[in-house]
Amino acid sequence: MTRQASPEPEVPQQAGKLLTQIAGYVGVRTIVIGLRLGLLEEIGKHQDGITTESLAQQLSLDPFYVGVWCRSAYAAEVLDLGEQERYRLAPHMDKLLLDVNFPGHIGGVPQVMVQPEFFEHFEEKLPSGDRLWWDQCSPDFITAVSDTGRPFYNRMIPGGLSKVPGLQQRLEEGASVLELACGAGNGLSAMARTYPNCSFEGVDGDAYSLSLTKERLAGEGLQDRITLTQSTLEDFDASGAYDMVLINISMHECRDIDKVTLNVHKALKPDGYFVISDFPFPASVEASRTVPARVMSGIQFFEALIGDQLMPTQAFVDLLNGHGFRDVEAFDITPVHAVTFGRK
Amino acid sequence: MTRQASPEPEVPQQAGKLLTQIAGYVGVRTIVIGLRLGLLEEIGKHQDGITTESLAQQLSLDPFYVGVWCRSAYAAEVLDLGEQERYRLAPHMDKLLLDVNFPGHIGGVPQVMVQPEFFEHFEEKLPSGDRLWWDQCSPDFITAVSDTGRPFYNRMIPGGLSKVPGLQQRLEEGASVLELACGAGNGLSAMARTYPNCSFEGVDGDAYSLSLTKERLAGEGLQDRITLTQSTLEDFDASGAYDMVLINISMHECRDIDKVTLNVHKALKPDGYFVISDFPFPASVEASRTVPARVMSGIQFFEALIGDQLMPTQAFVDLLNGHGFRDVEAFDITPVHAVTFGRK
């Protein structure tokens, strides 16, 4: 066969791109079944591996079906196979899929994406353009979303924050910290334990989330060091009060991002830090074909449903520069997690 | 950081494997939305591309949501981007995703895999080991499955059959052909049109499928050349009657595969051909990490639900050799389609 020099990809190459994505789909569904039914957790208990029969017995599951699942999980490189047909977790899968406190935890993402709130609801609302709100989401979905937010905190505290020049020292010596959109208090709790000399304030628009946070912080004996305030970020008003303002994966959700940035600027002490922890969505369509960008393109489906979109890091940089912050910089912690910061 | 020489993959590498699969999941969901809502079909009509606004208008869909979908479809390499922000189909995606008559058509696979009959039902029945039967599947699912079977016929007739030494000539000169598990008649119809000198018999266990086939063949004026018989493959009984027996993606579903092979051997004329067209599932767990094997590992979930499993090509080769066929050989047409054949 003579092959013409041509930039046009051929059929098998294009088919391969589709098949690779279908293989990924299969892997994700396999992982989610493994997480939901405790298969991965059980396998993780057996360092030397476990046969499909023993696994089925341990979990009271059908052995034939468990065998089919194990083979697909092996194909997805989530399991390895040892002697005597014993499956064990592939390296680091315990941390990546099972340990919600591991900074690189990924297990929450597949669990969120298979929920109907993601692609099914999007498809349903494509004609009308109707939005979805959190109160129409299932408790399972909200829990899953919250789990995907936790690694962002675990990467920031103390790792990400320590990379902001001068900030670590200030937090160690004792500082007044405001967290915007503090949600269920994962960040406040982690920061209060990591920075014992600091005092904290958490602001969130959702009364229910704040009630959960209050209960949680009381349980951890942290209530005296943390104030909670119910307010939208647009209405929050303070002056010269904080050494640092942190907002974690919520800046892209602001209804009026300029107003919020103005509020933060006003709320900071002179030299105070504004730290934005968020997704780094590519600035151009052309940059969307990397693996992290493709994952984030999927997250955009749900963001769209709630009327938001992930933003490029450069947009945060421009925002801070445009509102008089100085020393504005940004860096990536992981391919799906960027930090932008500036000083008043 | 000192890096030890070690075969153990590191965390970012393992995380990358998971993210790549999540990106694939997003791509599949994006493709399915594009197929179901006619987005891909509409884009395919515009050789010079179409803007998201025009696309939304053409299909009466929300322009913001359409923009989110387009960007994800671009990320999945299903769309390309031209001048003036016009999206067009990436090379060959018209054939691969939209043309059910294209031998390499893949568009049916994502549509089957997102149905609840695949992974949701499997997860639900993992504890009990209960099976599913076709009468519990939705009409949408059955249609989608039928669409995924069609490319197998389109690759076989005449391409795959022509690669079996001596068979093409016999079919052109005129032969008596039996198709086992003929289903809705896609294969009989295609063969009757391709090989005008042949006569055909179709056997299937399902009366409803046969009634569809009968109607279809009458509509195509082919009824005089094709006989239909309702029988399980295990009960079918004929002697020395056929030049070729074909079975397409159903051999792995036989309840008693030895009995069926015996029946075929008996039914063939001396020198007659038995041709098995099926998936080439890897013989070993270790061989399951290729892209096609990962796709097939996903198909195994549904196969398991109906009490079947895809089989390795070698198992078909051994089966034919074990039942006295001669000149047994096998070849792959695509990475997910293999042909095994032998002569009486």
Side-chain angles (χ1 to χ4, degrees), chain A residues 50 64 76 147 158 172 198 234 243 258 263 286 291 294 328:
Chain A
I50 181 169
F64 170 55
D147 283 350
E172 280 168 7
C198 292
E234 286 80 0
D243 296 281
D258 284 295
N263 290 348
E286 287 78 1
V291 165
R294 287 160 60 201
V328 177

Side-chain angles (χ1 to χ4, degrees), chain B residues 201-236:
Chain B
E201 178 162 359
V203 171
D204 204 286
D206 184 43
Y208 178 67
S209 293
L210 288 177
S211 72
L212 290 178
T213 306
K214 191 173 175 184
E215 204 172 311
R216 173 187 181 153
L217 296 173
E220 295 172 347
L222 297 167
Q223 71 277 17
D224 295 343
R225 292 172 52 212
I226 305 176
T227 311
L228 298 176
T229 304
Q230 192 194 339
S231 170
T232 69
L233 308 188
E234 286 79 1
D235 292 329
F236 180 76

Side-chain angles (χ1 to χ4, degrees), chain A residues 104-182:
Chain A
H105 181 65
I106 291 178
V109 183
Q111 295 192 83
V112 165
M113 286 204 177
V114 300
Q115 304 278 342
E117 283 80 354
F118 243 76
F119 296 100
E120 277 91 337
H121 286 205
F122 183 89
E123 181 172 343
E124 190 186 304
K125 293 175 196 299
L126 243 169
S128 66
D130 285 348
R131 298 282 183 263
L132 182 77
W133 198 237
W134 292 100
D135 58 9
Q136 298 160 268
C137 297
S138 73
D140 272 4
F141 181 74
I142 292 172
T143 304
V145 168
S146 164
D147 283 350
T148 60
R150 214 188 298 191
F152 280 80
Y153 281 118
N154 290 330
R155 288 189 288 263
M156 288 300 289
I157 307 162
L161 293 176
S162 74
K163 290 185 182 168
V164 177
L167 181 57
Q168 176 82 0
Q169 194 186 342
R170 199 137 153 191
L171 291 169
E172 280 168 7
E173 288 170 1
S176 173
V177 171
L178 169 66
E179 188 190 4
L180 296 179
C182 64

Side-chain angles (χ1 to χ4, degrees), chain B residues 112-158:
Chain B
V112 165
M113 286 206 178
V114 300
Q115 304 277 343
E117 282 82 354
F118 243 75
F119 296 100
E120 277 90 336
H121 286 205
F122 183 89
E123 181 172 343
E124 189 186 304
K125 293 174 196 300
L126 242 169
S128 65
D130 285 348
R131 299 281 184 263
L132 182 76
W133 198 238
W134 292 100
D135 58 9
Q136 299 159 269
C137 297
S138 72
D140 272 4
F141 181 74
I142 292 172
T143 304
V145 169
S146 163
D147 283 350
T148 61
R150 212 187 301 192
F152 281 80
Y153 281 118
N154 289 331
R155 287 188 288 263
M156 288 301 289
I157 307 161

Side-chain angles (χ1 to χ4, degrees), chain A residues 293-307:
Chain A
R294 287 160 60 201
V295 172
M296 288 186 277
S297 297
I299 295 172
Q300 293 291 43
F301 283 71
F302 180 73
E303 295 289 338
L305 282 172
I306 58 171

Side-chain angles (χ1 to χ4, degrees), chain B residues 4-329:
Chain B
Q4 303 281 330
S6 160
E8 175 109 332
E10 295 183 19
V11 168
Q13 186 183 343
Q14 295 295 80
K17 287 177 190 170
L18 297 176
L19 285 174
T20 302
Q21 295 182 75
I22 296 169
Y25 180 88
V26 171
V28 165
R29 300 300 311 229
T30 302
I31 289 165
V32 170
I33 290 173
L35 290 170
R36 281 188 186 154
L37 275 80
L39 289 151
L40 290 165
E41 191 182 348
E42 183 62 34
I43 295 169
K45 293 178 188 164
H46 303 266
Q47 296 259 325
D48 297 329
I50 181 169
T51 62
T52 57
E53 292 72 22
S54 301
L55 181 59
Q57 203 172 14
Q58 285 293 330
L59 297 172
S60 301
L61 298 174
D62 179 75
F64 170 54
Y65 286 169
V66 167
V68 170
W69 178 85
C70 283
R71 183 134 179 194
S72 185
Y74 176 89
E77 300 197 42
V78 165
L79 299 186
D80 278 341
L81 188 60
E83 282 171 23
Q84 298 171 313
E85 299 187 335
R86 289 169 180 270
Y87 287 100
R88 59 175 186 268
L89 294 183
H92 309 301
M93 290 299 160
D94 53 341
K95 299 187 282 288
L96 290 166
L97 291 176
L98 294 170
D99 180 1
V100 292
N101 292 316
F102 180 64
H105 182 65
I106 292 178
V109 183
Q111 294 192 85
V112 165
M113 286 206 178
V114 300
Q115 304 277 343
E117 282 82 354
F118 243 75
F119 296 100
E120 277 90 336
H121 286 205
F122 183 89
E123 181 172 343
E124 189 186 304
K125 293 174 196 300
L126 242 169
S128 65
D130 285 348
R131 299 281 184 263
L132 182 76
W133 198 238
W134 292 100
D135 58 9
Q136 299 159 269
C137 297
S138 72
D140 272 4
F141 181 74
I142 292 172
T143 304
V145 169
S146 163
D147 283 350
T148 61
R150 212 187 301 192
F152 281 80
Y153 281 118
N154 289 331
R155 287 188 288 263
M156 288 301 289
I157 307 161
L161 292 176
S162 74
K163 290 185 183 169
V164 178
L167 181 57
Q168 177 81 1
Q169 196 187 342
R170 198 136 154 191
L171 291 169
E172 280 169 6
E173 288 170 2
S176 172
V177 170
L178 169 67
E179 188 190 5
L180 296 180
C182 63
N186 283 327
L188 291 172
S189 164
M191 284 194 286
R193 283 178 283 116
T194 307
Y195 308 114
N197 299 321
C198 293
S199 64
F200 299 89
E201 178 162 359
V203 171
D204 204 286
D206 184 43
Y208 178 67
S209 293
L210 288 177
S211 72
L212 290 178
T213 306
K214 191 173 175 184
E215 204 172 311
R216 173 187 181 153
L217 296 173
E220 295 172 347
L222 297 167
Q223 71 277 17
D224 295 343
R225 292 172 52 212
I226 305 176
T227 311
L228 298 176
T229 304
Q230 192 194 339
S231 170
T232 69
L233 308 188
E234 286 79 1
D235 292 329
F236 180 76
D237 188 22
S239 278
Y242 306 99
D243 296 280
M244 173 177 88
V245 176
L246 172 68
I247 183 164
N248 186 50
I249 54 171
S250 296
M251 193 66 183
H252 68 268
E253 292 182 3
C254 292
R255 298 294 139 181
D256 184 344
I257 200 165
D258 284 295
K259 182 76 168 66
V260 173
T261 310
L262 279 170
N263 290 349
V264 169
H265 196 273
K266 186 180 162 205
L268 284 169
K269 294 180 188 170
D271 292 331
Y273 293 85
F274 184 23
V275 181
I276 299 169
S277 158
D278 216 309
F279 293 89
F281 194 64
S284 73
V285 176
E286 288 79 0
S288 305
R289 287 181 173 173
T290 66
V291 165
R294 287 160 59 201
V295 172
M296 288 186 278
S297 297
I299 295 172
Q300 293 290 43
F301 284 71
F302 181 72
E303 295 290 338
L305 281 172
I306 58 171
D308 298 322
Q309 285 288 272
L310 303 181
M311 292 168 63
T313 301
Q314 189 59 44
F316 295 132
V317 169
D318 294 345
L319 183 75
L320 267 55
N321 280 322
H323 285 283
F325 287 86
R326 63 178 173 83
D327 302 339
V328 177
E329 286 182 52

